[in-house]
Amino acid sequence: MSEYKGFHFKRFDFSKCLDTKIDLIDLINNTVGEALKKQPEKVRWIFDTMVQYIDELNACRDYPEKIVYRHFTFAPEMVYAIEGISFVPEALTFIMPTEYLCALVDEGRAMDMPDHWCGFLGGVLAPLLAGRLPKPKAVLHCNQPCDNSVAQGSVLAESFPDVEIFYLDNPYTDDEGDVQFAMDQLREGFKYLERMLGKKLDLDRFREVMSLSAQAYRLMYEINEYKKAIPCPIPTSVILRATSGAFYGLTGTERLLRWLEKHRDDAKQRYEKGIGGWREEKMRLVWNLSWPVFDYGVYDWMEEAFGAIAVAYHASEPFYQPPDIDYSKASYEELLRALALRNNNHAMGRQGRGHLMTFVNDTLKWCKEFRADAVVFAGHWQCEANWAAAQLTKEKLMEELGIPMLIMTVDQLDPRVVSAEQMVSRLEPFLEMVAEKKAQGG
Amino acid sequence: MGLIVAGCDVGSVSGKVVLFDGEKILAHAVIPARPLPGRTAEDVLRLASEQAGVVPAEIQYMVGTGYGRMQVPNAQKTVSEIACHAKGAAWLRSDTATLIDVGGQDCKVISVAPDGSGRVLDFSMNDKCAAGTGRFLEVMAKVFEIPMEQFGEGALRAQRALGISSQCTVFAESEVVCLIAQGNDVDEIIAGICDAVASRVSSLVSRVGLREKVYMSGGVAMNVGVKAALERRLGVRIWSLSDNPVITGALGAALFAANALRHEGRG
């Protein structure tokens, strides 16, 4: 631990020679899985999306014939519709202990992984190439949001030469032509999954999944209404941690609905009592692009020292508007259309496709909706597409809303790239500046 | 006893203290950084106190700044270097609009409010890399065995600047060694080094937007080669804050200390 103004940031021990050849699912069960069980009852629900992800990992062992690898910006509804097990290999890096993640990045580099691969994608390259992950029956991949994601498709092809990959070309916009373009591909995608898994898509199951997805999104919009309140009834670490888990992996499941309901009820209860999250709110931030997960102490410090609450997070804000249809009777085409719109607006994928202004305008929208005082662009160093929009976003924010934006580099998972202390060294002067601006009525 | 406050700036290269009476600087001191930031702070504070003829116990309020600010003994408060440099610069020159602070391990460009308050409007900093910092120049000065304070002078004599393409300090050092081995003119290499720093700094300036007047603080403000290269790249004159721009951050910290004391009704 290192201390800063009474706050303790994690100290990692990278001197240990960790055995990276161990079973990663066992590792996650024995470390994160056990730690989650020990969370106090009151807050345990917050982590349920992580528990659900671990349960899906474990299900891979029992049902290997159902494993579908899914790129993290590919809508999971497609996998759930065909009753596959959605396995996002790169999500393992999010959930494993940091020291192991770093050891796996190093192992990947020893296997000639280029230095410019980030911790998120790079941490899983070695286990993939070395055949240490469960073998998929099918692989859903896509062309966004970054070059390394695209290159990961080649890694998957090399890792599983006898498994055909379905590659989705995400369209730039939600124009009618682009929606049709996506629908045509998803139609082919289902045929692919049927062939690879050896089972037919059940239309009723597809209806059920898209209905669950629509309900989840409606709950997310409802939660967002509470987030707009001053003070925001949800603490930063919950906004950053929990909702993004929901967006990336679990839409279309019953269990996610239950979790979102708890999330909504918690926000509602606090809102009705007029109370904020865990600490007094003094300023509201939109957190953009990436939130380092190796040390949540940074966010606690930010809240404690400055009352700075991240009320919106780039990768967990909903954009998909579920079509207002009767899902129990919806036609295959109607469901496919909903899935195309959902997939086009998947967290991060939406801002990683097409025109740069999508990223800029989305940020402006969040700032207006959530009455933000400032924006933190924590740029994951490998998210090239979004980095290209950073300065433009900053200028537009100042020009149109008079809102300042901090631009800082991070790696979401690897503290050796940028440590918690380095993040704080950037955040502190910025938050001081915002506090002074607010004090002067700015 | 009148008002005595202190600002203590513990940087990676040096420790600085300014003692302030609410209106003027009573004393200031600068020492090379010790291995431990707390020790740097103690030593430089003792030196400044001796100069002012006071004992540290007479200091009514102290603000710490710089990367070692958390280790400044007896500091009642800490404030970031960005805010302190802006505050100090605006006190020295109320027309400061853009402040370039090139320190030992980082480089900051600060947009300062035009009202003379020293309020920060925006800033940008180098990210994760020593390129464009004092440390970069220090490494290069060692290669030539030229004292840091004279290092930039060669650049002014040069007919042209030899481009340094490496962005990394370590690789740039290798490149410079190669340029020397090839028999290139030393002044032209130095001009290239100064221009490399200016190039990094000017890209930071463009992120916050250039507004005049532009001032420089930090140790590199005294490097005439870097200053000239920056003026060329930015197309504006860069003004000197004072004869001792190194103490700007400590001065800003002392000003914050005086304000804090006033808020407590003691100043």
Side-chain angles (χ1 to χ4, degrees):
Chain A
M1 291 279 191
S2 72
E3 192 184 329
Y4 187 76
K5 289 190 178 177
F7 269 83
H8 296 276
F9 299 117
K10 285 182 189 168
R11 289 275 105 207
F12 299 101
D13 182 1
F14 297 118
S15 63
K16 286 182 196 154
C17 291
L18 297 172
D19 179 10
T20 55
K21 315 281 188 292
I22 59 168
D23 186 309
L24 287 178
I25 298 178
D26 276 347
L27 171 73
I28 286 168
N29 276 318
N30 296 337
T31 54
V32 183
E34 288 303 311
L36 290 176
K37 283 179 199 162
K38 289 176 192 153
Q39 290 292 327
E41 184 69 38
K42 202 174 141 192
V43 296
R44 198 178 296 162
W45 69 270
I46 295 168
F47 305 95
D48 195 54
T49 52
M50 287 170 83
V51 174
Q52 189 174 348
Y53 175 71
I54 295 172
D55 288 348
E56 288 194 356
L57 288 180
N58 289 321
C60 290
R61 289 170 162 167
D62 299 331
Y63 306 101
E65 72 283 3
K66 290 186 174 186
I67 302 172
V68 179
Y69 272 30
R70 178 180 68 80
H71 182 262
F72 73 101
T73 64
F74 209 120
E77 287 88 333
M78 193 159 179
V79 182
Y80 296 131
I82 200 147
E83 294 182 289
I85 295 171
S86 162
F87 183 86
V88 183
E90 53 273 20
L92 288 167
T93 61
F94 255 78
I95 208 163
M96 71 175 65
T98 299
E99 286 91 344
Y100 268 93
L101 175 274
C102 293
L104 287 169
V105 169
D106 292 347
E107 192 188 359
R109 297 220 164 103
M111 295 169 96
D112 281 344
M113 177 179 86
D115 281 349
H116 58 75
W117 274 51
C118 61
F120 179 50
L121 294 168
V124 81
L125 181 134
L128 276 171
L129 287 175
R132 299 202 297 264
L133 295 181
K135 188 180 173 185
K137 292 296 282 184
V139 178
L140 299 176
H141 208 70
C142 64
N143 63 342
Q144 62 185 20
C146 65
D147 294 347
N148 292 346
S149 279
V150 175
Q152 195 193 23
S154 307
V155 173
L156 289 165
E158 195 174 327
S159 305
F160 309 108
D162 55 340
V163 181
E164 189 185 323
I165 296 178
F166 179 79
Y167 222 103
L168 183 80
D169 181 6
N170 271 313
Y172 281 7
T173 73
D174 286 343
D175 293 349
E176 188 51 35
D178 277 355
V179 173
Q180 287 296 331
F181 176 68
M183 283 173 69
D184 289 344
Q185 291 184 77
L186 294 171
R187 195 178 287 113
E188 290 305 311
F190 274 123
K191 285 182 196 164
Y192 159 84
L193 285 177
E194 286 179 335
R195 184 159 43 85
M196 301 300 282
L197 300 183
K199 64 187 293 193
K200 295 291 286 180
L201 172 71
D202 178 344
L203 185 59
D204 283 337
R205 173 68 186 152
F206 192 13
R207 285 173 177 144
E208 186 190 354
V209 167
M210 292 314 292
S211 170
L212 288 168
S213 169
Q215 291 173 66
Y217 268 87
R218 286 181 191 126
L219 274 168
M220 290 171 198
Y221 284 113
E222 197 182 336
I223 292 165
N224 262 9
E225 288 306 308
Y226 293 115
K227 279 160 61 181
K228 289 173 190 172
I230 296 177
C232 174
I234 311 169
T236 301
S237 56
V238 176
I239 287 174
L240 294 180
R241 176 169 16 209
T243 48
S244 56
F247 273 82
Y248 283 124
L250 309 166
T251 43
T253 63
E254 184 75 40
R255 196 163 161 183
L256 178 67
L257 273 193
R258 301 290 84 84
W259 180 81
L260 284 167
E261 281 165 3
K262 279 184 203 153
H263 190 12
R264 186 265 320 272
D265 293 345
D266 184 67
K268 187 177 178 218
Q269 209 176 30
R270 287 169 175 276
Y271 169 77
E272 284 171 353
K273 287 181 188 164
I275 55 174
W278 292 330
R279 295 180 182 88
E280 187 191 353
E281 175 182 308
K282 292 180 186 160
M283 65 174 84
R284 298 164 70 85
L285 305 177
V286 164
W287 195 273
N288 237 343
L289 196 52
S290 173
W291 90 106
V293 298
F294 50 80
D295 196 345
Y296 278 87
V298 173
Y299 311 111
D300 290 337
W301 164 81
M302 203 172 81
E303 288 193 344
E304 183 71 31
F306 290 94
I309 314 293
V311 294
Y313 171 52
H314 161 241
S316 60
E317 296 309 317
F319 275 91
Y320 164 56
Q321 294 286 353
D324 194 13
I325 54 174
D326 180 352
Y327 285 89
S328 66
K329 293 174 188 159
S331 69
Y332 180 63
E333 287 301 305
E334 284 176 313
L335 296 171
L336 211 53
R337 182 180 184 78
L339 182 63
L341 287 168
R342 157 71 181 97
N343 199 64
N344 280 1
N345 289 288
H346 192 89
M348 273 195 92
R350 172 188 161 82
Q351 290 88 10
R353 70 186 167 115
H355 203 285
L356 214 56
M357 286 309 288
T358 306
F359 186 91
V360 178
N361 291 332
D362 284 356
T363 307
L364 288 167
K365 177 179 178 287
W366 297 323
C367 287
K368 285 181 208 159
E369 277 183 6
F370 294 100
R371 293 182 278 178
D373 299 301
V375 176
V376 174
F377 178 95
H380 187 71
W381 64 295
Q382 269 306 295
C383 293
E384 305 96 338
N386 296 138
W387 265 104
Q391 184 65 22
L392 184 59
T393 308
K394 178 176 170 161
E395 286 166 12
K396 283 276 177 195
L397 279 168
M398 187 47 77
E399 196 181 297
E400 294 187 18
L401 305 175
I403 290 177
M405 180 170 113
L406 172 70
I407 301 177
M408 65 175 181
T409 304
V410 298
D411 183 294
Q412 194 148 8
L413 301 145
D414 190 342
R416 299 171 304 178
V417 178
V418 173
S419 66
E421 289 87 346
Q422 279 173 288
M423 283 175 65
V424 166
S425 75
R426 274 25 179 195
L427 283 165
E428 187 170 35
F430 180 71
L431 298 176
E432 274 177 0
M433 183 183 91
V434 178
E436 194 169 2
K437 183 170 178 261
K438 274 186 76 84
Q440 301 211 344
Chain B
M1 183 179 70
L3 174 81
I4 304 176
V5 294
C8 182
D9 178 1
V10 181
S12 62
V13 173
S14 59
K16 289 82 69 174
V17 158
V18 166
L19 298 181
F20 188 70
D21 70 359
E23 286 181 5
K24 64 181 185 302
I25 295 172
L26 294 173
H28 63 82
V30 182
I31 62 166
R34 315 291 193 231
L36 296 174
R39 179 76 194 281
T40 306
E42 280 171 4
D43 288 357
V44 72
L45 185 64
R46 193 180 309 115
L47 187 60
S49 300
E50 282 167 10
Q51 285 175 16
V54 298
V55 291
E58 290 177 84
I59 296 167
Q60 288 141 291
Y61 204 103
M62 180 156 64
V63 167
T65 190
Y67 98 98
R69 58 185 173 273
M70 301 312 299
Q71 277 74 45
V72 176
N74 304 320
Q76 281 94 332
K77 190 178 170 182
T78 61
V79 179
S80 72
E81 305 103 285
I82 302 265
C84 288
H85 276 270
K87 185 71 84 185
W91 189 82
L92 290 166
R93 300 279 182 248
S94 61
D95 57 356
T96 305
T98 304
L99 179 67
I100 298 169
D101 169 49
V102 186
Q105 66 180 6
D106 61 19
C107 172
K108 307 173 267 281
V109 177
I110 309 167
S111 180
V112 184
D115 57 8
S117 65
R119 189 162 58 86
V120 177
L121 295 179
D122 195 6
F123 68 90
S124 60
M125 287 174 83
N126 63 318
D127 237 2
K128 302 175 16 208
C129 173
T133 68
R135 186 72 74 195
F136 178 84
L137 288 167
E138 208 174 89
V139 169
M140 299 306 154
K142 273 188 189 148
V143 174
F144 290 98
E145 297 178 344
I146 297 175
M148 263 299 275
E149 53 278 13
Q150 294 164 23
F151 185 68
E153 291 166 11
L156 301 185
R157 293 190 296 265
Q159 295 297 308
R160 60 173 185 154
L162 282 175
I164 307 292
S165 54
S166 300
Q167 301 230 347
C168 162
T169 303
V170 176
F171 293 154
E173 184 183 3
S174 309
E175 196 177 334
V176 165
V177 170
C178 284
L179 288 171
I180 296 168
Q182 287 162 7
N184 287 292
D185 181 76
V186 168
D187 287 344
E188 290 181 356
I189 301 172
I190 291 173
I193 292 166
C194 291
D195 191 58
V197 173
S199 157
R200 314 273 186 276
V201 176
S202 59
S203 70
L204 293 178
V205 173
S206 64
R207 286 194 211 165
V208 297
L210 179 68
R211 290 188 303 117
E212 290 194 80
K213 279 183 167 180
V214 182
Y215 287 93
M216 254 183 112
S217 64
V220 179
M222 291 184 289
N223 184 308
V224 290
V226 172
K227 186 165 165 279
L230 255 175
E231 286 178 332
R232 203 165 47 245
R233 281 187 171 267
L234 298 175
V236 297
R237 180 169 175 189
I238 296 173
W239 301 80
S240 295
L241 274 176
S242 68
D243 293 340
N244 198 349
V246 179
I247 62 164
T248 312
L251 170 62
L255 292 166
F256 275 112
N259 282 347
L261 211 54
R262 250 176 246 127
H263 274 294
E264 290 179 10
R266 294 197 284 146

